[in-house]
Amino acid sequence: EGYSGFTPYLDTIISKSYVFEGFSNGKRSIEGIPAIVAGIPSLMNEAFITSVYAGNKFESLAGLLKNKGYKTMFFHGGSNGTMGFNSFAKSAGFDYYYGRNEYNNENDYDGKWGIFDEPFLKFSANVLNKQSQPFFATIFTLSSHHPYKVPKMYNGKFKKGKLEIQEAIMYTDYSLKQFFNTIENEPWFENTLFVITADHTSEAYIEFYKNSVGMYKIPIIYYCPKYLKPYRSNVISQQIDILPSIFDFLGYNLPFFSFGTSSFNQNEPHFAISFLNNEYQIIYNNFALKFDGEKSTSLFDYKNDPLLKSNLIKNNLNVKDSIELLLKAFIQHYNTSLIDNKMTLKKQ
């Protein structure tokens, strides 16, 4: 194979981090942000942000941390209004939104989505460096989106892979390095938990990442060298687990609503759920189960059968039944919470 990756800097961060076996809950950015920031998966054909439930009261990292005196900021170099992120950030309780308008320098516009990653990450770092502690920030990068433009001054700097996105990924990785270089000597740095993950996956050329398990595989990285020793955990973690995991790490002691569970908690079942083309999928232990709303259609042991060639549904009925029960309970909890507008523990 001889595969060498396209994220040399991120690889060094991973080597110093607590890392889980991560899965996204959706396939689009508009699904990833509510999952990560507010622990809300999209188990319906429409993303939560644009659905009839978008007006529901819900809890988020920003809103809950604000109760503890944190200043909260959302950074996204995109054109303001892109995918409704600025209005979502407001609903989620962020104090400040920094977009292309706030960056206010069109020389760094990529011509399509917004501000290139490197200058926008440096801008974000400089804003953070001026804050008093404690603060919470979400930063959403954009250069690794189609059409995968890299600033002209870097033509030929990054290696090209078999896919167009790979050069852009190297540029984003380089930009991340500049971000950390700008903050690593600041007094707030060592007291900060950095959570690094992806909103969703993109195209792939390694076969595993083209199937229904691999297409949700993302890194979920907790980087805080002062308080977390490096560790590679085989615990399955999904985007909606990030919120309760952060609160577990912080020792947050107030009640809150969450669809996910802390990945640091050994006593909870850990799984990943998604919904695509009217089909649910749950990844639990070694297995991936698909369910069409009425019956389970497939069961794969993806750890031992990574290309999902053997459907085990008929000869593993006990496994199928127990995983299906877990999935049905989750779907029921999700549907009733959205329909009844009960996604918060605060008094309405």
Side-chain angles (χ1 to χ4, degrees):
E1 287 235 344
Y3 178 79
S4 68
F6 292 82
T7 54
Y9 182 71
L10 186 61
D11 293 346
T12 65
I13 293 269
I14 287 172
S15 71
K16 303 174 199 165
S17 301
Y18 200 115
V19 184
F20 290 100
E21 182 166 354
F23 291 92
S24 68
N25 290 104
K27 283 295 292 168
R28 298 179 296 158
S29 303
I30 200 169
E31 295 167 336
I33 294 299
I36 294 165
V37 170
I40 304 169
S42 286
L43 299 187
M44 48 189 172
N45 286 317
E46 189 157 14
F48 174 77
I49 288 182
T50 51
S51 75
V52 295
Y53 306 109
N56 279 15
K57 294 264 186 272
F58 62 90
E59 295 184 341
S60 75
L61 286 161
L64 291 162
L65 288 169
K66 205 149 81 162
N67 298 340
K68 288 283 194 179
Y70 282 67
K71 184 190 273 191
T72 58
M73 296 157 276
F74 193 106
F75 295 87
H76 173 222
S79 307
N80 293 51
T82 307
M83 290 180 282
F85 286 160
N86 50 352
S87 54
F88 173 75
K90 201 171 178 178
S91 311
F94 282 92
D95 295 318
Y96 300 97
Y97 182 89
Y98 295 89
R100 179 180 163 193
N101 294 358
E102 289 73 19
Y103 180 80
N104 198 22
N105 181 353
E106 290 299 291
N107 293 333
D108 296 324
Y109 176 50
D110 68 2
K112 169 76 174 174
W113 289 109
I115 306 304
F116 279 115
D117 282 353
E118 183 190 12
F120 192 77
L121 280 170
K122 279 192 176 164
F123 163 80
S124 305
N126 289 327
V127 171
L128 296 178
N129 285 341
K130 295 188 182 100
Q131 305 306 321
S132 55
Q133 299 178 55
F135 58 81
F136 165 72
T138 297
I139 305 177
F140 182 40
T141 63
L142 52 73
S143 294
S144 50
H145 277 86
H146 190 270
Y148 311 126
K149 282 182 73 173
V150 169
K152 285 193 177 63
M153 64 183 191
Y154 290 132
N155 280 351
K157 176 175 170 67
F158 306 111
K159 69 174 179 181
K160 295 184 190 304
K162 291 186 165 62
L163 301 172
E164 217 182 338
I165 189 175
Q166 287 165 323
E167 181 186 18
I169 291 282
M170 283 208 85
Y171 167 67
T172 295
D173 184 71
Y174 172 80
S175 305
L176 190 68
K177 183 178 184 180
Q178 309 315 309
F179 171 79
F180 276 102
N181 286 349
T182 312
I183 61 172
E184 64 188 1
N185 295 316
E186 295 294 324
W188 59 270
F189 177 81
E190 67 171 13
N191 295 322
T192 299
L193 171 66
F194 296 90
V195 183
I196 303 172
T197 189
D199 51 344
H200 59 84
T201 57
S202 64
E203 58 201 309
Y205 75 92
I206 294 174
E207 285 307 312
F208 168 68
Y209 295 104
K210 296 178 183 176
N211 70 38
S212 67
V213 175
M215 68 195 260
Y216 289 100
K217 203 91 174 54
I218 58 166
I220 297 183
I221 301 159
Y222 293 82
Y223 176 55
C224 185
K226 186 176 174 183
Y227 297 105
L228 270 181
K229 287 193 163 50
Y231 185 66
R232 290 297 284 264
S233 170
N234 58 6
V235 166
I236 289 172
S237 186
Q238 53 188 335
Q239 288 168 330
I240 61 170
D241 297 336
I242 290 173
L243 181 150
S245 300
I246 288 175
F247 287 137
D248 191 0
F249 172 80
L250 291 176
Y252 185 93
N253 55 4
L254 299 176
F256 60 91
F257 176 92
S258 174
F259 285 116
T261 53
S262 167
S263 301
F264 296 110
N265 184 338
Q266 307 296 321
N267 304 319
E268 296 278 351
H270 294 289
F271 52 85
I273 282 181
S274 55
F275 180 78
L276 189 64
N277 301 331
N278 294 316
E279 199 164 43
Y280 300 92
Q281 176 174 265
I282 179 168
I283 296 162
Y284 179 65
N285 289 343
N286 284 6
F287 296 99
L289 179 87
K290 283 197 175 174
F291 179 72
D292 66 9
E294 291 179 9
K295 64 181 185 305
S296 292
T297 54
S298 64
L299 177 72
F300 294 100
D301 178 349
Y302 78 95
K303 285 279 172 78
N304 294 307
D305 174 24
L307 299 184
L308 311 188
K309 295 207 161 131
S310 308
N311 186 350
L312 308 173
I313 197 98
K314 290 194 168 60
N315 45 6
N316 274 280
L317 292 177
N318 288 350
V319 173
K320 178 204 79 105
D321 288 348
S322 64
I323 300 177
E324 187 183 289
L325 203 60
L326 185 64
L327 176 61
K328 282 176 171 171
F330 190 96
I331 295 167
Q332 186 175 7
H333 172 49
Y334 176 80
N335 289 346
T336 53
S337 300
L338 264 66
I339 293 164
D340 298 340
N341 194 2
K342 290 196 172 147
M343 297 161 63
T344 170
L345 296 184
K346 281 186 236 156
K347 295 275 185 289
Q348 297 287 317

